[in-house]
Amino acid sequence: MADFFLGLPTAFGRGLTSGGWEQTSKIFSGYGQDTWRVTDRLTLTLGLRYEAHTPWVESKDQQVNFNPVTGQVEYAGKNGASRALYDSVYGGKAFQPRLGFAWTPGRLNGHTVVRGAFTVSDYLEGTGTNLRLPINPPFNGGAGSGEFQTLYPEHRPANHHVF
């Protein structure tokens, strides 16, 4: 860390924002809602969404992931690992409730409406830069790839030792 702060890096790595992979996934979802006028001044909207995502699978199984339970690197579709390398969420956790309201305070003579909403929502992970499993080494860069890492041995002081 001190080498970094002194401007004497020994290595530089960069993330990858694109790649030559093809991933597929499916989404199964449905939504229903209803609106109730509780009083002349209060309206409630209640809804429920079910959204289940199948895991992302790379067409040539070129993705890897680290399993913190076993301490091993897992390759898609190898040695008993699934092609996706993670499990999806189905059943009760895939339900996403929605609640909305519109309330007109009586003191303001109907000139103001206060609105609010609450929802439980999920967003499919792995859709941002550097979050896709096919980007992990060895398929698309990594510590052993010259594209990913550049060494700077000329910046090391003569008395620098690597242990």
Side-chain angles (χ1 to χ4, degrees), residues 99-110:
L99 171 66
F101 72 91
W103 173 61
T104 303
R107 295 181 184 170
L108 300 175
N109 299 323

Side-chain angles (χ1 to χ4, degrees), residues 91-153:
K93 292 183 179 180
F95 284 98
Q96 304 169 7
R98 312 291 205 249
L99 171 66
F101 72 91
W103 173 61
T104 303
R107 295 181 184 170
L108 300 175
N109 299 323
H111 295 293
T112 301
V113 177
V114 177
R115 297 178 189 273
F118 169 80
T119 185
V120 173
S121 181
D122 69 5
Y123 186 74
L124 183 61
E125 64 181 86
T127 56
T129 301
N130 296 333
L131 295 177
R132 298 266 190 195
L133 295 178
I135 290 178
N136 289 343
F139 297 112
N140 200 0
S145 168
E147 179 182 336
F148 180 78
Q149 187 176 46
T150 306
L151 298 176
Y152 294 104

Side-chain angles (χ1 to χ4, degrees), residues 20-25 54-67 72-87 125-127 130-141:
W21 66 86
E22 177 183 325
Q23 285 184 302
T24 57
S25 176
T54 63
W56 286 99
V57 175
E58 205 279 329
S59 63
K60 297 176 186 157
D61 289 341
Q62 293 188 354
Q63 57 186 14
V64 297
N65 200 8
F66 177 73
N67 185 332
Q72 299 295 315
V73 174
E74 295 179 343
Y75 289 81
K78 307 278 190 248
N79 300 322
S82 71
R83 291 189 65 210
L85 299 175
Y86 68 95
D87 296 325
E125 64 181 86
T127 56
N130 296 333
L131 295 177
R132 298 266 190 195
L133 295 178
I135 290 178
N136 289 343
F139 297 112
N140 200 0

